[in-house]
Amino acid sequence: MTEDEGTHRWQRIPRVETADPTAERRGAIASIARRPRDPEARRRMRALAADQGAWEQLALMLADEVRGASKRPEVAAAFFEELADVYENLDQLLETIGALEALVELEPDHLEHRDRLAKLYWRAGAWQKAAAAFERVAELARDDRARAALRAAGKLYRDNGRLEQAARTYNAIVERKPADLDAGRALDEILSQLGLWRDVAWVRGELA
């Protein structure tokens, strides 16, 4: 998302006053159901909710809509993504995670959804789920995000005493990029703690 897109994501839009704000929201949701990949339809729904101050009401309506969209996965995915955004806007962390978990089930190879879910697990203190999610991100990513995700997983494993898993993830970083000195030093320290001296010698050779 560009900075300009982020700026306008929650921007209010002019609207004509009507006697039934609920009907307006339902109309906006229906537009997304018809065009689930239309970013303008989504923006208008968010802007309408911001203008009405109706985030909680929108969350209830979207939650109801996803139950009725089970046979239309593309529409359900759009509603779950919007529902996650609304919950996050309401600072409802567990509900945000629940919506994203459902979204990931529908779109399991979507890198951004996976990465966002991993970070939310971390925020919630669910470190084991976060570590596993970061490793899945590393499997999907084809750029520096893969190493960043492995580093996050490795830190979680190391901080929570899972040294074997930490060594495995840091080793994956070094194999991808031997010049990553931070990962190499972390791997050296963990292998030393584990007493795996032959592996320590290999790491030091890679870093030399």
Side-chain angles (χ1 to χ4, degrees):
M1 181 186 298
T2 65
E3 182 177 351
D4 185 61
E5 288 172 334
T7 300
H8 293 289
R9 187 173 178 81
W10 303 100
Q11 182 176 326
R12 295 186 178 187
I13 58 172
R15 69 184 181 90
V16 177
E17 292 293 336
T18 68
D20 191 353
T22 299
E24 287 186 298
R25 292 193 297 275
R26 291 199 183 283
I29 290 171
S31 294
I32 294 175
R34 290 192 298 271
R35 303 186 303 278
R37 295 192 180 276
D38 183 356
E40 181 61 21
R42 296 191 185 195
R43 188 190 73 82
R44 290 186 66 85
M45 184 193 69
R46 299 185 201 109
L48 182 63
D51 195 39
Q52 294 177 344
W55 295 113
E56 292 182 357
Q57 295 91 327
L58 180 60
L60 291 171
M61 294 171 76
L62 285 170
D64 187 54
E65 289 293 330
V66 296
R67 286 190 286 270
S70 58
K71 295 183 179 180
R72 302 176 64 194
E74 188 176 43
V75 174
F79 285 148
F80 275 124
E81 186 173 5
E82 292 305 311
L83 187 57
D85 286 347
V86 172
Y87 282 142
E88 192 162 26
N89 194 48
L90 291 168
D91 293 323
Q92 296 180 4
L93 180 57
L94 296 181
E95 289 80 1
T96 306
I97 287 173
L100 276 174
E101 287 176 335
L103 178 58
V104 163
E105 285 188 19
L106 291 169
E107 298 181 342
D109 296 329
H110 195 295
L111 178 60
E112 284 71 22
H113 297 337
R114 288 277 185 183
D115 187 58
R116 183 181 177 189
L117 181 57
K119 291 171 181 174
L120 287 172
Y121 281 145
W122 197 342
R123 278 178 53 195
W127 73 266
Q128 290 175 303
K129 286 187 175 182
F134 278 124
E135 289 193 271
R136 181 60 179 144
V137 170
E139 292 173 3
L140 294 172
R142 294 292 181 268
D143 51 27
D144 287 343
R145 282 181 294 182
R147 287 190 298 113
L150 284 171
R151 187 174 286 105
K155 176 175 172 53
L156 285 165
Y157 285 132
R158 188 180 187 183
D159 290 348
N160 288 278
R162 302 294 179 87
L163 297 185
E164 291 83 1
Q165 291 95 324
R168 174 174 51 78
T169 53
Y170 281 114
N171 184 69
I173 297 172
V174 172
E175 287 183 341
R176 291 176 184 229
K177 188 175 181 180
D180 192 321
L181 297 181
D182 289 339
R185 281 191 289 267
L187 180 57
D188 185 319
E189 293 169 2
I190 294 166
L191 292 173
S192 296
Q193 286 180 268
L194 292 170
L196 300 175
W197 304 114
R198 183 175 297 178
D199 293 330
V200 170
W202 173 82
V203 172
R204 292 177 180 175
E206 290 292 309
L207 296 176

